[in-house]
Amino acid sequence: MGEFKVKFRGVRGSYPLAKKDFLKYGGNTSCVEVHVNGHLIILDAGTGMIDAGNELMKQYIESGITPKERTPINATVLISHIHQDHILGFTFFKPLHVASSVINVFGNVNYNETLSDELATLLFGKSFPVDLGDIAGNLNIRDLSETEGIILRHGEPPIVKRIENEEDEKVSGDDVLITCYRSYAHPQEGVIIYKIAYKDKTLVYATDKESYKGGDRRLAKFARNCSLLIHDSQYTTEDYLNSYVPKQGYGHSTFDMALECQQQVNAEKLVFFHFDPSYDDEKLDLIKEQYKYTSDKAILAYEGLEINLL
């Protein structure tokens, strides 16, 4: 049986921080690295993606003396949405600038634009020295609808297939299946929730979404009995309901909402994720203490955290 390992590269929301009081949990924005049965999947391209790219480059250089002898870098990048904290690391992902790299990027913005056009506008051209079309690596950007899934199979490029029912979501052999749906519980155009399935294990990545009263029924169905749920936990309940600066409608959940979702979903493990940038190590330590009774099933994310699902 192959591997299914998850490594957290960036766990912060809104914007990155470089301060001594944020070293324990980390100051980089959203990025989760997944190694599953020989495939590399990167969830979101926040500033945490930069370190992931640096390590990949080190492995690439060590794999051979000359470029022709080296093992090319092949990655599938899944973008949840194009807010700055989820794409800031993309242009500084060094494998993009190596000719032998193959980087397949999937996401969806809305019905009027393409992900490729939006990334070109936001990250390249006037805001970066290189245009999107001048990237040295083999960069393939594709819009993905919630009626489509991605099959990762050895020796083949990603296969996009139509997902119409639960039968289509069954994973066969050594295939890795990625499915998704769009949640509109985040302004302005929603966010893509992803599920990665391999063998009998599933990872659900649900960042930047606000919960509803009684929970999110669609997410509960999508993530039912998952092995690992990575869920937005930007605020404490006190901050969320603050009478002076309430956070309702900001498109983010609380730790309590994430915990409620885990219970509804029956997820084996929950990782609290996407912390507010004002929450320093001391604040997060206090939150960790508050939820220590859940520690066998729910933990706080931090940079470098690794979880093996097999």
Side-chain angles (χ1 to χ4, degrees):
M1 183 179 289
E3 64 181 351
F4 198 161
K5 296 180 180 178
V6 183
K7 184 169 184 177
F8 290 79
R9 293 290 188 172
V11 304
R12 192 69 57 173
S14 301
Y15 54 84
L17 299 120
K19 296 182 178 181
K20 62 182 179 64
D21 296 332
F22 293 80
L23 295 176
K24 183 175 180 179
Y25 294 89
N28 281 305
T29 61
S30 303
C31 182
V32 179
E33 182 180 330
V34 183
H35 292 269
V36 53
N37 195 32
H39 303 283
L40 170 60
I41 301 171
I42 298 176
L43 292 158
D44 270 332
T47 55
M49 191 186 198
I50 299 170
D51 281 343
N54 291 343
E55 284 194 21
L56 287 169
M57 284 300 299
K58 183 174 182 294
Q59 295 166 11
Y60 168 72
I61 292 169
E62 291 174 346
S63 69
I65 297 174
T66 67
K68 286 187 177 181
E69 296 173 316
R70 292 170 183 159
T71 304
I73 297 168
N74 193 317
T76 299
V77 181
L78 306 176
I79 303 294
S80 66
H81 62 310
I82 55 171
H83 287 176
Q84 289 185 358
D85 51 331
H86 293 261
I87 58 174
L88 274 172
F90 189 78
T91 50
F92 300 99
F93 183 63
K94 288 181 180 177
L96 279 178
H97 308 289
V98 176
S100 63
S101 295
V102 179
I103 312 296
N104 295 293
V105 182
F106 294 90
N108 191 284
V109 283
N110 61 35
Y111 296 109
N112 300 315
E113 289 107 10
T114 67
L115 179 62
S116 179
D117 287 345
E118 290 293 89
L119 290 179
T121 300
L122 292 170
L123 293 178
F124 295 88
K126 293 182 179 179
S127 60
F128 195 71
V130 178
D131 285 330
L132 179 61
D134 295 328
I135 292 296
N138 299 286
L139 177 62
N140 309 300
I141 303 175
R142 189 191 191 284
D143 289 270
L144 187 72
S145 77
E146 56 186 20
T147 58
E148 295 175 316
I150 305 165
I151 296 174
L152 300 183
R153 189 174 290 163
H154 291 298
E156 299 183 32
I159 302 165
V160 177
K161 63 172 283 187
R162 189 160 184 83
I163 301 292
E164 296 181 340
N165 50 53
E166 291 184 4
E167 190 68 24
D168 294 332
E169 293 190 36
K170 290 184 178 179
V171 184
S172 60
D174 285 332
D175 289 352
V176 176
L177 176 64
I178 300 166
T179 51
C180 69
Y181 81 91
R182 180 186 292 278
S183 168
Y184 286 96
H186 189 73
Q188 298 181 6
E189 295 167 351
V191 62
I192 304 297
I193 310 297
Y194 289 103
K195 179 164 60 179
I196 302 170
Y198 173 63
K199 300 295 186 182
D200 60 345
K201 300 294 183 180
T202 52
L203 179 160
V204 173
Y205 180 72
T207 188
D208 289 64
K209 68 163 304 297
E210 193 164 354
S211 192
Y212 305 107
K213 184 177 180 180
D216 187 330
R217 299 300 175 185
R218 193 174 185 195
L219 177 58
K221 180 180 178 182
F222 181 75
R224 178 72 61 200
N225 297 323
C226 66
S227 309
L228 178 63
L229 173 63
I230 302 171
H231 196 289
D232 187 284
S233 309
Q234 176 123 345
Y235 305 118
T236 63
T237 299
E238 292 75 19
D239 283 347
Y240 182 79
L241 297 175
N242 184 293
S243 58
Y244 296 100
V245 189
K247 308 301 191 302
Q248 288 177 321
Y250 281 23
H252 294 288
S253 289
T254 66
F255 290 83
D256 288 333
M257 289 173 179
L259 201 57
E260 180 184 39
C261 181
Q262 180 201 23
Q263 293 163 355
Q264 291 180 337
V265 166
N266 192 36
E268 290 180 25
K269 198 169 193 69
L270 164 70
V271 177
F272 298 117
F273 183 74
H274 201 273
F275 308 132
D276 187 88
S278 68
Y279 291 8
D280 60 13
D281 291 339
E282 182 180 5
K283 172 87 170 181
L284 289 174
D285 278 344
L286 290 173
I287 293 171
K288 181 180 179 181
E289 178 69 18
Q290 181 181 349
Y291 290 92
K292 66 180 181 181
Y293 70 94
T294 70
S295 61
D296 61 328
K297 286 195 171 184
I299 58 174
L300 272 70
Y302 59 85
E303 286 182 28
L305 170 65
E306 295 187 32
I307 297 174
N308 191 349
L309 297 183
L310 293 178

